[in-house]
Amino acid sequence: MVGNAMTEKTGRFAIIEQFLADGIDHMFGNPGTVEQGFLDALSAYPEMRYVLTLQESVAVLTADGYARATQKPALVQLHSTPGVGNGIGALYQAMRGHSPLVVIGGDAGIQYAAMDAQMAGDLVAFAEPVTKWSTVVMHPSSLLRVIRRAIKIAATPPMGPVYVCVPQDVLDAPVVEPVRPTSLPSTRVTPDAATVRSMAELLAAANKPMIFVGDGVAFSGAQSELERVAELLGAEVWEADAGEVNMRYDHPLYRGMTGHMFGSASLPIMQRGDANLIVGTYVLPEVFPELGDIFAPGAKTVHIDLNAYEIAKNHPVDIGVVADPRLTLGLLIDALEQVMSSAQKTDAQERTAALEAETQAKRAAALEDDQANRDAVPLRMSRFMEELVARLPEEDVILFDEALTSSPAVVRYWPPQRTGEYFLTRGGSLGIGIPGAIGAKMANPDKTVIGFTGDGGAMYTIQALWSAARHNVDAKFVICNNGSYRLLQLNIDQYWKERGIAKHDFPVSFDLSHPPLHFAEMARGMGVQGVRVENPDEVGPAIEQALAHPGPFLIDLVLEGDTNPERVGNTCGQ
């Protein structure tokens, strides 16, 4: 019962009505004893779809994919202390990626809090470091109020996951609050005209303008405005802390992403400009960031974001604006067109032409290398993508990509064009490739959805395939099986170079080749059809089989890798 009327029900029913009142009709979870009454109540609400997963991290990551694809809050149900513990790594991924997840967790009851009983734990403290807000409902009179507050906090930029512990005795008590939709505040705010003009004048005066963007652009729907600002300035555009499509990948001014691991790799990019525009991100999202200044001496910086915490967090800016990226960039377009001289506009056009020529030359060289190795065995990812793109529909395709070392080939042959059609892993946790694709497909049942992951990442959440089969989720999965934690191999190679260490064998802990992982066999054991691809002539038929199959399908794609199974066997088999 929605509106001002009293629910006249216990909390276990009313909480479901509250979520439905907010348009939340999917719940991703894994059940436990202390949630039994609440889960039993779901049978009274067939419009609420419960998506069963076999481990809590799968529930969180599937919801993450669903939230990213819908751009709305997604609901997760976790068990008490062990369940929350299992979901922590996935919640960290959601927090770093600003996914609006509403996580409800069970507990035996407030009445047992002093007993230090089985499964007791400080659940709020568990979840606090990996959520935007973490709380427990202490009394039935505030159950729905707290749920609405959680939804509001999750959905308000900067978005992020929230955790609400809902003890069983609270859910079993009568509810005295009415069910009503959550009130969400508008954040469509803009700076004053004088600030906009100051930003425009600073950027227009640059000889080498640079733009650094993140998912705040996609969240606000600012892709076209960003592209127009870049074109007016003739500025390179780099993504930082991005997993959405903020700018089409084949735009002549799009340059890719700054480093995600080492600040030394990003520093030459960051110091190119004499004026920097940062939009919807922070600088910089690296594991080992540069500790000194990252901008060129004398360079000016403008930062636009709805997240005030990130503006000038680590590096000073000249103009910082807490505002909506789309509306603010729209105002900046008008201001730039007014303040830029004819000479400045000509310079911008020349910069754009030079960058476009450079981008085309790099792409041509990469394609030439792809063709030279087209029939290589083990396979190159480029061969697979060449054949996949030739068979994909022209429209309504979504790729969910966790296979980072294969991503360059993915986007070279299928350059993402619009927000919502390509999702890249973000946050650092492994395992989102399969469940993320499942969530994206559930949000877009009429679109072709393909998830890419590596062999290492796949093994974190391989049981997600069972959920795809159980719920008949017609997503396709590609395991980029190079027999290793390839990204770790690349990272330690950089580590050796920085410290002057001679290159030698990678640690055996990075090698997954012994015993070999056979993902098609695993998939079939969970009700998902699959095929293993090892040779070039198998690629096309496998893709055709996957796309034609009415249900989930997995391709175990065996790729080139730096592995040594004999060494692993000799070292680890003692």
Side-chain angles (χ1 to χ4, degrees):
M1 187 180 302
V2 180
N4 291 325
M6 307 300 285
T7 65
E8 298 181 350
K9 290 188 170 112
T10 57
R12 66 193 182 104
F13 294 95
I15 193 174
I16 301 172
E17 294 182 4
Q18 180 62 58
F19 289 124
L20 291 172
D22 281 308
I24 299 174
D25 57 7
H26 282 64
M27 184 186 309
F28 304 88
N30 180 262
T33 302
V34 296
E35 301 87 33
Q36 57 195 358
F38 163 64
L39 296 175
D40 184 48
L42 284 173
S43 62
Y45 302 91
E47 61 269 47
M48 176 63 79
R49 184 178 187 183
Y50 186 87
V51 181
L52 177 62
T53 67
L54 299 181
Q55 209 263 3
E56 288 84 357
S57 61
V58 177
V60 175
L61 294 172
T62 308
D64 192 338
Y66 187 85
R68 292 178 68 176
T70 60
Q71 297 187 330
K72 295 178 181 179
L75 176 60
V76 182
Q77 171 267 317
L78 298 181
H79 187 37
S80 56
T81 309
V84 174
N86 285 339
I88 290 295
L91 280 171
Y92 180 84
Q93 172 100 350
M95 181 189 70
R96 281 292 182 182
H98 298 290
S99 286
L101 304 186
V102 179
V103 182
I104 55 172
D107 181 70
I110 296 292
Q111 61 184 313
Y112 305 114
M115 301 299 292
D116 191 25
Q118 178 78 343
M119 292 194 292
D122 190 344
L123 295 169
V124 173
F126 273 33
E128 195 167 23
V130 292
T131 56
K132 189 177 174 186
W133 186 54
S134 181
T135 192
V136 59
V137 181
M138 297 296 296
H139 194 272
S141 63
S142 291
L143 173 63
L144 301 186
R145 178 182 296 113
V146 171
I147 293 297
R148 287 191 291 268
R149 186 183 303 170
I151 294 170
K152 183 196 75 169
I153 291 172
T156 302
M159 298 182 296
V162 296
Y163 171 78
V164 180
C165 177
V166 283
Q168 182 171 279
D169 51 4
V170 170
L171 291 177
D172 284 340
V175 169
V176 298
E177 300 174 272
V179 173
R180 53 175 173 246
T182 299
S183 300
L184 299 179
S186 171
T187 56
R188 293 291 187 181
V189 294
T190 58
D192 61 89
T195 300
V196 174
R197 186 174 182 87
S198 295
M199 291 191 294
E201 290 174 345
L202 183 154
L203 294 168
N207 293 313
K208 181 61 175 175
M210 299 284 289
I211 301 178
F212 302 96
V213 302
D215 289 340
V217 171
F219 296 155
S220 69
Q223 180 180 337
S224 61
E225 287 81 2
L226 168 64
E227 291 177 359
R228 182 59 183 149
V229 169
E231 290 160 1
L232 283 169
L233 293 171
E236 297 183 31
V237 180
W238 291 82
E239 288 187 300
D241 194 35
E244 310 290 321
V245 179
N246 298 293
M247 186 177 192
R248 60 182 177 90
Y249 277 42
D250 57 1
H251 192 287
L253 295 173
Y254 179 77
R255 309 295 282 168
M257 297 192 182
T258 60
H260 79 282
M261 185 62 60
F262 301 100
S264 58
S266 302
L267 189 60
I269 300 169
M270 303 304 299
Q271 293 192 331
R272 288 182 191 174
D274 56 353
N276 304 289
L277 172 61
I278 305 167
V279 187
T281 190
Y282 73 103
V283 289
L284 278 167
E286 299 147 337
V287 177
F288 303 102
E290 185 71 22
L291 296 177
D293 292 336
I294 62 171
F295 300 119
K300 302 294 184 181
T301 301
V302 174
H303 195 159
I304 303 166
D305 203 339
L306 279 170
N307 191 350
Y309 172 76
E310 299 295 359
I311 297 176
K313 180 177 73 174
N314 292 320
H315 304 285
V317 303
D318 296 278
I319 303 175
V321 179
V322 180
D324 176 73
R326 181 173 69 85
L327 297 181
T328 305
L329 290 176
L331 295 174
L332 184 58
I333 290 168
D334 294 338
L336 285 170
E337 289 176 337
Q338 291 176 7
V339 304
M340 290 182 72
S341 66
S342 297
Q344 289 171 334
K345 292 178 180 177
T346 299
D347 289 345
Q349 292 169 356
E350 292 176 351
R351 286 193 293 266
T352 297
L355 289 168
E356 182 172 13
E358 182 181 337
T359 298
Q360 291 177 345
K362 287 182 178 180
R363 174 175 169 75
L367 291 174
E368 182 179 355
D369 182 70
D370 291 345
Q371 287 302 304
N373 294 279
R374 187 173 185 272
D375 297 322
V377 179
L379 288 163
R380 293 280 191 97
M381 188 65 186
S382 53
R383 173 63 183 266
F384 181 85
M385 285 307 302
E386 176 193 334
E387 300 218 29
L388 175 64
V389 169
R391 293 166 173 83
L392 282 177
E394 292 185 5
E395 299 289 339
D396 296 332
V397 175
I398 295 174
L399 302 189
F400 204 107
D401 185 8
E402 186 191 21
L404 290 178
T405 57
S406 295
S407 297
V410 171
V411 299
R412 184 160 62 249
Y413 285 86
W414 194 84
Q417 298 295 301
R418 293 175 294 275
T419 299
E421 68 180 26
Y422 177 72
F423 301 101
L424 186 66
T425 183
R426 57 193 186 189
S429 300
L430 284 179
I432 197 172
I434 296 174
I438 294 172
K441 178 63 178 181
M442 296 187 83
N444 296 274
D446 297 327
K447 295 186 178 182
T448 299
V449 177
I450 304 174
F452 292 87
T453 185
D455 42 354
M459 289 306 298
Y460 273 63
T461 54
I462 193 68
Q463 63 270 57
L465 293 173
W466 182 90
S467 296
R470 177 184 177 94
H471 297 284
N472 194 30
V473 181
D474 186 19
K476 316 304 176 183
F477 311 101
V478 179
I479 312 298
C480 300
N481 187 351
N482 55 30
S484 65
Y485 290 120
R486 181 61 181 150
L487 194 61
L488 295 184
Q489 292 176 338
L490 296 175
N491 290 340
I492 200 169
D493 192 55
Q494 178 67 22
Y495 172 86
W496 290 336
K497 291 176 182 177
E498 289 184 353
R499 286 157 177 78
I501 299 172
K503 186 175 177 63
H504 52 277
D505 288 339
F506 293 121
V508 293
S509 57
F510 296 0
D511 195 320
L512 306 178
S513 63
H514 179 78
L517 293 164
H518 288 271
F519 290 95
E521 295 179 14
M522 296 183 215
R524 286 191 288 270
M526 288 180 277
V528 173
Q529 291 300 307
V531 63
R532 187 174 175 93
V533 173
E534 300 181 85
N535 296 299
D537 59 356
E538 298 170 345
V539 173
I543 293 170
E544 292 171 1
Q545 185 181 357
L547 295 176
H549 182 75
F553 194 96
L554 179 143
I555 296 176
D556 182 2
L557 183 64
V558 180
L559 298 174
E560 61 173 341
D562 191 330
T563 62
N564 193 331
E566 292 182 359
R567 176 170 170 252
V568 174
N570 292 334
T571 302
C572 301
Q574 303 302 317

